[in-house]
Amino acid sequence: MIDVKNPHMRIGAVDKTLMHEQWQNLRDVYRDLVKDGFLEECQILAGEAEREDMVFSANQTFPWLLDGEKVFIPSKMRHLSRKLEVPFYAKFFLDHGYKELILQSDHFFEGMGDLIAVPMGNKLFSGYGFRTQAQVLVEVSQLLNIEIIPLELVDERFYHLDTCFLPLDPQTALLLPQAFSRVALDTLEETFPTLISVPIEEALNFSLNAHVMIRGGRRVAIIQKGNPITSRFLEQAGFKTFHVETSEFMKAGGSVFCMKMMFW
Ligand code: ARG
């Protein structure tokens, strides 16, 4: 089932040869981080027929460590075409010893596309409004036993929180302010001593969909090419930055952060 789920999507626009090349290059950046000892392993989940968005592996689940136990919540995707992806990701986590925590709510929840942890922090932020629904967040918070701060999203081009919010550590976050409601912005201003706005041109080029990782005191970021201002902020914050091209995936509304899922 192929449908238009966000304003970036253009059916038939993707150059498939280029798409495969870009995906392989991104995979190789992660594999190199394994070789270099920064990451422990990189596993590839095979795609399945009739699931054209399955490559966006940030959305189908939310994995977490709950008092030292590996758990995951399967998402309740808003679009039928994406609901079909969830069992494949659930199987991956079950096969890797994760315990499944099932949401009783019928409201939508789109995993790590909307629910984002602050590196080295102790709370979660969740976007809501376009995909995830605010009503589900109390239950998610109870299941994971952690505070969740809801943030209302108001610009449909930034439909998932991972398209407009990039926390670097408990003190610092990059964001596109106009993607948030006034109340959400006030909350962010109260939470982060340093909030840095990026230009909308870069946010539309998915600069905030970068993947930032902090491990053993080392900071690494992977970001879509052509985002000099966002990249400079990352470098100033101590991140070694890898630039990749994800143009064919941006035509579906996603870039680096959407195309991976961290597990441990
Ligand atoms: N076409 C997909 C959708 O609209 C893109 C998902 C991108 N993922 C993300 N975490 N922002 O559902």
Side-chain angles (χ1 to χ4, degrees), residues 5-6 9 53 56 59 82 113 131 159-160 162 252-254 258:
K5 307 173 191 78
N6 66 62
M9 289 186 86
D53 272 322
F56 296 114
N59 306 145
R82 299 214 63 190
R131 296 299 184 82
Y159 58 95
H160 271 149
D162 68 9
C258 309

Side-chain angles (χ1 to χ4, degrees), residues 169-184:
D169 55 44
Q171 282 73 43
T172 322
L174 309 187
L175 83 170
L176 180 75
Q178 55 263 57
F180 296 91
S181 71
R182 185 65 250 171
V183 173

Side-chain angles (χ1 to χ4, degrees), residues 31-263:
R31 284 189 171 165
D32 286 346
L33 288 171
V34 174
K35 280 194 204 132
D36 161 77
F38 182 74
L39 293 176
E40 276 146 43
E41 59 176 314
C42 169
Q43 288 203 22
I44 308 299
L45 189 64
E48 297 290 332
E50 313 289 320
R51 287 156 180 84
E52 79 276 3
D53 272 322
M54 194 166 167
V55 69
F56 296 114
S57 45
N59 306 145
Q60 302 83 356
T61 59
F62 187 84
W64 195 243
L65 262 189
L66 178 56
D67 299 327
E69 186 184 17
K70 300 194 262 188
V71 299
F72 75 100
I73 302 180
S75 297
K76 301 228 167 176
M77 303 300 291
R78 188 174 281 264
H79 298 89
L80 178 61
S81 57
R82 299 214 63 190
K83 287 187 203 299
L84 304 173
E85 302 166 8
V86 177
F88 295 93
Y89 283 88
K91 181 171 184 316
F92 176 91
F93 282 104
L94 289 169
D95 290 347
H96 285 78
Y98 282 68
K99 180 178 160 192
E100 186 171 28
L101 302 179
I102 308 259
L103 281 171
Q104 301 304 319
S105 167
D106 287 330
H107 291 103
F108 300 124
F109 169 66
E110 297 215 346
M112 210 174 279
D114 272 320
L115 189 56
I116 296 186
V118 178
M120 305 181 303
N122 59 357
K123 38 176 111 87
L124 299 174
F125 289 86
S126 181
Y128 71 89
F130 295 106
R131 296 299 184 82
T132 296
Q133 291 177 298
Q135 297 92 319
V136 82
L137 297 176
V138 172
E139 192 186 348
V140 174
S141 161
Q142 283 163 353
L143 283 177
L144 300 176
N145 192 25
I146 186 168
E147 182 186 1
I148 296 182
I149 300 184
L151 300 170
E152 187 182 6
L153 304 178
V154 297
D155 181 331
E156 62 173 351
R157 294 170 298 177
F158 304 97
Y159 58 95
H160 271 149
L161 186 60
D162 68 9
T163 62
C164 51
F165 175 63
L166 181 59
L168 304 185
D169 55 44
Q171 282 73 43
T172 322
L174 309 187
L175 83 170
L176 180 75
Q178 55 263 57
F180 296 91
S181 71
R182 185 65 250 171
V183 173
L185 260 189
D186 289 344
T187 307
L188 288 168
E189 279 162 9
E190 280 157 26
T191 313
F192 290 95
T194 310
L195 265 188
I196 303 171
S197 303
V198 306
I200 187 153
E201 298 72 26
E202 292 203 2
L204 283 169
N205 192 36
F206 286 83
S207 74
L208 296 172
N209 202 248
H211 183 199
V212 301
M213 295 166 265
I214 303 180
R215 291 172 67 91
R218 283 177 67 193
R219 294 177 165 221
V220 168
I222 311 175
I223 184 170
Q224 164 63 31
K225 280 183 183 162
N227 288 310
I229 295 174
T230 311
S231 299
R232 194 157 0 99
F233 287 134
L234 291 173
E235 281 150 19
Q236 280 165 357
F239 287 88
K240 178 173 166 48
T241 308
F242 295 89
H243 301 264
V244 293
E245 182 55 75
T246 61
S247 63
E248 301 317 292
F249 299 91
M250 294 195 291
K251 291 175 186 170
S255 181
V256 181
F257 187 92
C258 309
M259 293 169 67
K260 60 86 197 76
M261 180 56 100
M262 297 295 272
F263 68 103

